[in-house]
Amino acid sequence: MSHPRNNTRLRSARVAAGYHSQQALAEALGVGVRQVRRWESSTPPWPHPDLQSALTQLLGQSMEELGFTPPPGRERSKGQRPHSALDTTRKGLAAVPVQSTATIQPVSVGDDFAAVTRAHRSLYWSVAPTALFPTVIGHAELGCVLLAETVGRTRQSVASSLSETWLLAGRIQFFDLRLSDEADETWLRGLQAAREAEDHLLGAATLAHMAFVPGWDGHLDEAARRTVAARTYARRGDAPALLLAWLDAVEAECETRASNTRTALHLIGHGEDVLAAGGEQPVPDWFDWFSAPRLAAFKGNTQLRAGHLPQARTTLCAALDQLPESEQKQRSVVLGDLASVEAAAGDPVAACQYAVRALDQLKRTWYATGMDRVREVRQALVAHQGEQCVRDLDERLYDWSTTVSALAR
């Protein structure tokens, strides 16, 4: 008995795009896995228009190329451009009509929307993430509406600011709130907006952020695929040296978490060479989360995990001295790593002193990544928990404000 032929075209396109399971594609689209299973059957149903857009955007092929047969009367006219997946926001965000009935917005809308985006970018460094995040998401929802009500260069400007907004929202989710899966979905929306804007550098930055999600979970193959894609977009956009060095740092972070510290240090060394060589390409205004001191912080953390304690201490102290006072979030991370260096070196007093300084920083500006570093230090000091310095650290680590803040986030 012959078996029914499945939709191998969709399955092949799914795997080629990096979605190695039906569940992975379902999550990216915001649908149930049963829906994807039906699409990959021998008689795939014709998807809803919004899902058609999402499928073609994610997999890079037309509906016919993906194995679907349109019902009579629904054939797409030649040259018609598919709607963007941004026409509908999913997972709890408000739906946006495919075609707006409102009057086309004036040209000034692009600059006005961008001004709010810039304000959010600046507020990120000092405003509590739980307070800022809803505002950023609301701004993104507005951007989705404006995208349907603008044309030409104004639409491209809105799409660029929208991509940056999704990028910021994902950074808050991932680094500040520890919502990795949600951040991955948010960054996917940012990637779609970057495509609408035809902004390769925003695409590269978004893809590199997306590499953190599997990289921090130890899925190095998937992280590598995303960093390769990020580097490809960076080349297309003629990326500045600072962004190229950051891509090295991202890949090094993933390698470090997989215990490949030698590879990570090689990547960081390459990043240092790239920065030293410099270049004339301007750095985008939105690229405000990386600098030479931050590259040193990456290096110090890798040296710490490699067991190179004297080198890590020197590198991290230099990074701390060079970081501006305004970079309070990153300072908490570096202080936490310095505390880990001293704990590994057998000096609990010095370790606790650095950890307390990190907690002081976190009290002013909360950062989940910084608190993770402090918790790692405390775990490393278990053998010394009877000593007064560790007890004093516990008094700070588990006071009312710190405990409530940590559990609330």
Side-chain angles (χ1 to χ4, degrees), residues 6-192:
N6 292 331
N7 186 359
T8 56
R9 289 186 179 183
L10 177 59
R11 182 182 184 280
S12 298
R14 166 172 63 78
V15 174
Y19 300 98
H20 297 284
S21 68
Q22 293 176 336
Q23 182 66 46
L25 181 60
E27 291 175 353
L29 293 168
V31 300
V33 68
R34 184 178 179 184
Q35 181 68 71
V36 177
R37 196 176 298 125
R38 292 175 63 203
W39 289 337
E40 293 191 4
S41 70
S42 58
T43 56
W46 187 246
H48 186 275
D50 294 325
L51 290 174
Q52 293 177 41
S53 299
L55 278 167
T56 55
Q57 296 287 351
L58 283 179
L59 304 183
Q61 298 183 37
S62 69
M63 294 301 295
E64 290 77 10
E65 290 171 334
L66 294 174
F68 292 93
T69 301
R74 295 192 183 182
E75 292 84 0
R76 180 178 293 142
S77 60
K78 292 183 179 180
Q80 181 179 351
R81 183 176 178 274
H83 292 296
S84 165
L86 288 167
D87 289 332
T88 298
T89 54
R90 303 181 298 277
K91 298 286 187 182
L93 297 184
V96 179
V98 172
Q99 291 184 345
S100 172
T101 59
T103 304
I104 294 298
Q105 296 288 339
V107 173
S108 59
V109 161
D111 291 338
D112 293 340
F113 187 72
V116 178
T117 301
R118 288 193 298 272
H120 288 160
R121 182 204 313 155
S122 178
L123 290 170
Y124 170 73
W125 300 109
S126 59
V127 175
T130 49
L132 181 60
F133 181 70
T135 302
V136 174
I137 287 296
H139 187 57
E141 291 183 32
L142 173 61
C144 291
V145 174
L146 294 179
L147 206 61
E149 298 179 352
T150 50
V151 295
R153 292 185 179 180
T154 304
R155 187 178 191 277
Q156 188 174 18
S157 172
V158 169
S160 180
S161 296
L162 178 59
S163 179
E164 182 186 336
T165 298
W166 285 128
L167 180 60
L168 176 60
R171 284 174 56 80
I172 296 173
Q173 288 172 313
F174 187 82
F175 294 109
D176 297 83
L177 303 177
R178 279 292 176 263
L179 300 172
S180 299
D181 292 341
E182 291 85 346
D184 207 30
E185 295 174 3
T186 299
W187 283 328
L188 176 59
R189 297 187 183 107
L191 188 61
Q192 293 164 347

Side-chain angles (χ1 to χ4, degrees), residues 348 352 378 381-392 394:
C352 290
R378 181 58 184 87
L381 293 172
V382 168
H384 303 278
Q385 61 188 17
E387 298 186 27
Q388 188 60 46
C389 61
V390 179
R391 291 181 179 178
D392 292 342
D394 286 342

